[in-house]
Amino acid sequence: MIQDIYPSKLDITYHLAEITDDDIVLKFDSDGRILVREDAGRLSFTNGSEGKDLQLVYLFSMDDRRYFLSLDTTGTDKDGYTYKDLREIRDTSLPKDVFIAFTAYHLWRWYTDNRFCGRCADRLVFHEKERALRCPKCRNIIYPRINPAVIVGVIKDDCLLITKYRSGYAHSALIAGFTEIGETLEETVHREVMEETGIRVKNVRYYKSQPWGMAQDILVGFFCEADGDDEIKMDEDELKYAAWVRREDIELQPNNLSLTNEMMKVFKEKEKIYV
Ligand SMILES: [Zn+2]
């Protein structure tokens, strides 16, 4: 998966910091595309010397390099640099660079969507001690938004429940859906599998998680088993395909960047899936 970048490490710890020439500035356009230069699979971002006049916030560091986000919507277009959609760079660039871009995108989306207080409409300011925004007028504190969602590998004997979405991503997928307020992740698993395919499940077991995506989400992967009647009643609004597929017949996605693909792959290759 993209976040598997050992021995590199993303350090997301927040602190107030001033930019220097050695730092990196990440910049997005209003459509959420990131400013990059591509060079044989490596991405270059703008460096700190060009960020001094911009409104910046410290994001994270990777290894010895610090990354800042520009919250300005104007300027800094450079020779050789273009705004790229994250889905475009995802399949062609180094996981380390893509992980930086996705994590920055999540934070950019949150900062951009939260410029004013939802209670009193005053302008928000950066919190001095933690990753948060605060309202100087009514003291409202706004924390980063993360939407939890589940990915579910439903097993029946030697088969996995494979789906394809009605719109968007075209390749094989698993059951997926967002957690509702007041619901445990395990309950989301039961509900989403029932809603999308009419299948009851048992023995829900955690697998791994994926901390990046385009929907301000964290994906939580579970395996489980079909319980009783295995006849699929597909939700045709969400899916165009849902079937029990034997291990050897599972068609994987074109690369192994996503949690969904890793889950399909470990089942297909009979690796141990419960740890
Ligand atoms: Zn307020």
Side-chain angles (χ1 to χ4, degrees):
M1 286 184 277
I2 287 173
Q3 74 270 19
D4 298 329
I5 54 172
Y6 182 85
S8 289
K9 183 163 173 32
L10 184 82
D11 181 355
I12 198 75
T13 314
Y14 179 76
H15 48 90
L16 279 180
E18 290 291 318
I19 191 146
T20 70
D21 289 355
D22 293 333
D23 298 324
I24 303 287
V25 176
L26 301 171
K27 189 165 168 50
F28 292 83
D29 68 6
S30 56
D31 295 323
R33 296 179 303 171
I34 190 165
L35 188 66
V36 292
R37 193 182 68 205
E38 277 184 296
D39 202 357
R42 280 307 316 243
L43 295 181
S44 301
F45 307 102
T46 344
N47 69 40
S49 61
E50 291 162 73
K52 296 232 167 80
D53 298 325
L54 300 171
Q55 191 198 1
L56 300 170
V57 60
Y58 173 74
L59 289 186
F60 47 72
S61 65
M62 185 176 286
D63 304 330
D64 294 330
R65 188 70 74 183
R66 303 193 310 170
Y67 292 81
F68 287 73
L69 174 68
S70 165
L71 292 170
D72 284 67
T73 50
T74 55
T76 77
D77 289 354
K78 290 181 53 173
D79 281 351
Y81 283 74
T82 46
Y83 285 101
K84 294 263 183 182
D85 192 295
L86 268 62
R87 295 177 194 92
E88 232 180 294
I89 57 173
R90 183 188 126 145
D91 296 334
T92 53
S93 308
L94 279 183
K96 207 160 118 172
D97 295 338
V98 180
F99 190 35
I100 287 168
F102 268 96
T103 310
Y105 171 83
H106 191 155
L107 284 156
W108 169 79
R109 182 83 267 165
W110 175 68
Y111 278 116
T112 306
D113 289 351
N114 290 279
R115 290 176 297 146
F116 299 95
C117 178
R119 282 188 197 156
C120 77
D122 213 33
R123 186 171 273 281
L124 298 171
V125 298
F126 300 138
H127 197 289
E128 290 77 6
K129 293 193 175 139
E130 55 187 342
R131 178 77 63 196
L133 295 161
R134 67 176 180 81
C135 176
K137 194 169 164 193
C138 77
R139 299 185 184 175
N140 188 15
I141 307 271
I142 297 94
Y143 290 100
R145 173 175 174 174
I146 307 175
N147 302 320
V150 300
I151 300 281
V152 193
V154 186
I155 297 167
K156 181 185 69 116
D157 304 325
D158 215 27
C159 296
L160 193 63
L161 183 48
I162 300 291
T163 67
K164 287 188 180 177
Y165 303 129
R166 179 141 297 282
S167 56
Y169 196 65
H171 299 286
S172 300
L174 299 170
I175 301 290
F178 287 100
T179 300
E180 299 284 353
I181 290 172
E183 189 176 52
T184 65
L185 293 167
E186 292 83 352
E187 286 168 343
T188 312
V189 168
H190 286 277
R191 179 179 55 74
E192 285 291 342
V193 179
M194 177 55 73
E195 283 177 8
E196 293 189 14
T197 61
I199 302 289
R200 288 165 56 93
V201 297
K202 61 182 180 183
N203 298 334
V204 177
R205 310 277 274 279
Y206 173 72
Y207 175 65
K208 286 182 186 177
S209 61
Q210 173 188 309
W212 54 268
M214 292 300 285
Q216 299 169 279
D217 46 339
I218 179 162
L219 299 177
V220 190
F222 292 91
F223 281 102
C224 58
E225 289 148 37
D227 185 12
D229 186 4
D230 60 12
E231 188 196 341
I232 295 168
K233 299 176 193 76
M234 185 176 80
D235 176 356
E236 298 196 356
D237 291 336
E238 294 259 335
L239 303 174
K240 63 179 177 193
Y241 173 84
W244 297 110
V245 180
R246 297 183 67 81
R247 285 179 206 273
E248 57 271 29
D249 298 328
I250 294 172
E251 286 178 29
L252 298 176
Q253 296 173 357
N255 55 46
N256 197 30
L257 298 176
S258 70
L259 175 61
T260 297
N261 194 71
E262 180 172 312
M263 290 175 67
M264 293 192 295
K265 189 165 179 282
V266 294
F267 182 78
K268 184 181 173 82
E269 295 174 357
K270 293 190 183 178
E271 286 178 31
K272 190 176 173 191
I273 54 178
Y274 298 138
V275 287

